[in-house]
Amino acid sequence: MTIKTSFNCILISLLLISCSEKQKEPEKKQNTTNFIIIFADDLGYGDLGVYGHPTIKTPNLDRMANEGQKWTNFYAGASVCTPSRAALLTGRLPVRSGMASGKHRVLFPDSKNGLPAREITLAEQLKKVGYRTAAIGKWHLGHKEQYLPTNHGFDYYFGIPYSNDMDMVSGLIPYWDYWQQPNDSIKTEHFNVPLFRNTKIIERPANQNTITTRYSDEAVSYIKQNKDKPFFVYLAHNLPHIPLFVSDEFKGTSERGLYGDVLEEIDNGVGKILKTLEDEGLAENTIVVFTSDNGPWLPFKLNGGSAGLLRAGKGSTWEGGMREPGIFWSPGQIKPGVVSDLGSTMDLFATFSKIAGISLPEDRILDSHDLSPTLFDKAANTRKSILYYRGTEIYAARVGDFKAHYITQGVYGQFGEKIEHETPILYNLNQDPSEQFDIAEEHPEILQQIQDAVAKHNSKLVRGEDQLADRE
Ligand code: MG
């Protein structure tokens, strides 16, 4: 070997060392898995770039979907806020906890009750093995102290405890007329909603112009403060539920208009959270999930979202009311791809419990399936059906590819006629996701199969006492 060759070898070796040092993975801080749920409000199936929106730009959510799993048959537990949130956090249909009602569809600022203490939330479940837990954002499971997140398993709460269109200042009503004016006339001070830190109101009215970025920043600082312990962050944005507000930085940036500006601000927060996880060496042992509580609120036209190719929206049991984007991200843990298996926000309870090694409660019926075989190995999971409740009544049921509608009705705010179908309407959702072509006549055996599944569910159903009915 000549001196020159030897020198080149040393040089190459040095370059390789420096190269491998640069590529070295950040050191893992923990062995357990952290969980982050980012939950949007009234965001539709068609509102993200990666789910086909032509002008709303969501590069961070698109990246999460491309590096992780994008689910195309993922459902919220109900088609409006309160029951949907109860479903996610308890892993149970809201009819069981009493968080669904035939009288009111959600909780209001004068509601007397909230999520009963006997329910076990995902936060309480994870606390059994020492997780640190934070709820940031919209709660909507009871605003009185005993119902707040800090009394339901969360160590920390920062957020508006119900919808951002509530507590409308008197003199501005009637409610629906208010929304006919141009967006620049709609002011954050018109909604006297409180902002809580733990159990104390720290700002009222909450400044909604900056709330989206403040929520994301709270999540980032909670992650940094708790990076040495396992943590669970439930980040439930108040937006893009109306009224729509954005920080100055995002105003007028989206081709989609104000609704797009709002989504791009949410997406920017997602980017900050992913970057924090990567910078802190936590990306590979943190699972981040993004989804929404229900479909778009269609009567608000341009200020509401889009369910894409799905029919109808918020409040209805058509697909647009309950099928949502479902994105799972954890580089190295989650096998990337598009998943068309059935999934539900209620499944996060059993899935996270399984991953964290916590046994499920045995003293109650759960509606939660462990999705980890699909997340980690693209293997089949046990969920084969979806029930579509409106309040306390089953309007529709899906088993496998097929969905039967027993009752149909309009979206929230445009209720329309309630139609009970003597012969249920039947769709093959894999072939006809827009629910256009009724095939009930050709497939009585499938209708019977779905009816049997509903009857089996009903035979074991114990209805929780209605928590939404009583108001001051
Ligand atoms: Mg909602």
Side-chain angles (χ1 to χ4, degrees), residues 215-231:
Y215 284 166
S216 298
D217 290 349
E218 281 283 324
V220 164
S221 54
Y222 195 83
I223 294 164
K224 286 183 177 170
Q225 281 161 24
N226 291 280
K227 61 188 177 190
D228 297 322
K229 310 176 189 101
F231 59 80

Side-chain angles (χ1 to χ4, degrees), residues 225-272:
Q225 281 161 24
N226 291 280
K227 61 188 177 190
D228 297 322
K229 310 176 189 101
F231 59 80
F232 166 45
V233 176
Y234 170 61
L235 166 56
H237 283 288
N238 274 93
L239 292 149
H241 189 294
I242 55 95
L244 301 177
F245 296 110
V246 276
S247 302
D248 290 344
E249 189 189 338
F250 291 89
K251 203 169 275 176
T253 55
S254 172
E255 291 173 84
R256 167 64 174 82
L258 182 56
Y259 186 86
D261 296 346
V262 169
L263 254 60
E264 292 179 15
E265 186 166 8
I266 289 174
D267 181 79
N268 184 63
V270 171
K272 286 186 196 175

Side-chain angles (χ1 to χ4, degrees), residues 40-43 79-81 85 138 241 292-295 314:
D41 194 354
D42 294 5
L43 177 142
S79 65
V80 288
C81 301
R85 285 150 206 273
K138 177 170 173 176
H241 189 294
S292 174
D293 69 332
N294 52 251
K314 172 176 177 170

Side-chain angles (χ1 to χ4, degrees), residues 135-137 156-160 195-198 202 214-215 218:
I136 296 162
Y156 178 68
Y157 177 51
F158 177 82
I160 298 171
L195 178 66
F196 278 74
R197 193 181 299 282
N198 297 318
I202 57 164
R214 283 195 283 167
Y215 284 166
E218 281 283 324

Side-chain angles (χ1 to χ4, degrees), residues 3-209:
I3 293 173
K4 195 176 170 194
T5 317
S6 163
F7 174 76
N8 280 345
C9 281
I10 292 165
L11 191 62
I12 288 165
S13 303
L14 284 172
L15 280 172
L16 281 174
I17 289 164
S18 108
C19 219
S20 69
E21 269 176 356
K22 266 188 196 156
Q23 286 174 349
K24 205 167 83 178
E25 296 296 324
E27 198 185 332
K28 275 194 181 183
K29 295 283 193 310
Q30 310 162 8
N31 292 318
T32 41
T33 301
N34 308 302
F35 303 105
I36 300 175
I37 298 172
I38 306 174
F39 204 36
D41 194 354
D42 294 5
L43 177 142
Y45 185 81
D47 279 328
L48 306 183
V50 70
Y51 280 79
H53 199 283
T55 51
I56 298 175
K57 292 187 174 63
T58 51
N60 296 295
L61 288 161
D62 298 358
R63 179 192 154 199
M64 265 178 72
N66 291 327
E67 293 176 0
Q69 286 185 4
K70 169 188 161 183
W71 287 54
T72 57
N73 280 295
F74 195 75
Y75 289 86
S79 65
V80 288
C81 301
T82 297
S84 173
R85 285 150 206 273
L88 182 150
L89 284 174
T90 63
R92 278 151 61 80
L93 285 164
V95 69
R96 299 191 200 278
S97 58
M99 295 301 282
S101 165
K103 193 168 174 195
H104 300 298
R105 299 199 68 187
V106 297
L107 290 168
F108 290 91
D110 61 355
S111 293
K112 287 185 176 173
N113 300 312
L115 185 67
R118 66 177 173 272
E119 292 299 318
I120 300 170
T121 67
L122 186 48
E124 286 166 325
Q125 180 76 347
L126 293 169
K127 279 200 84 64
K128 290 177 186 168
V129 291
Y131 273 72
R132 298 280 299 156
T133 54
I136 296 162
K138 177 170 173 176
W139 179 240
H140 219 179
L141 297 175
H143 62 281
K144 296 194 170 176
E145 183 160 343
Q146 66 269 37
Y147 301 115
L148 287 174
T150 43
N151 280 310
H152 273 301
F154 289 98
D155 298 317
Y156 178 68
Y157 177 51
F158 177 82
I160 298 171
Y162 37 71
S163 298
N164 60 331
D165 65 333
M166 292 180 172
D167 291 331
M168 197 187 239
V169 172
S170 62
L172 299 171
I173 46 177
Y175 181 85
W176 288 96
D177 291 348
Y178 174 80
W179 304 101
Q180 303 309 316
Q181 60 183 330
N183 274 329
D184 5 347
S185 315
I186 295 173
K187 304 287 184 202
T188 180
E189 55 270 25
H190 293 169
F191 304 88
N192 194 31
V193 289
L195 178 66
F196 278 74
R197 193 181 299 282
N198 297 318
T199 56
K200 298 276 178 291
I201 294 174
I202 57 164
E203 187 178 304
R204 189 167 198 171
N207 181 353
Q208 296 196 43
N209 293 310

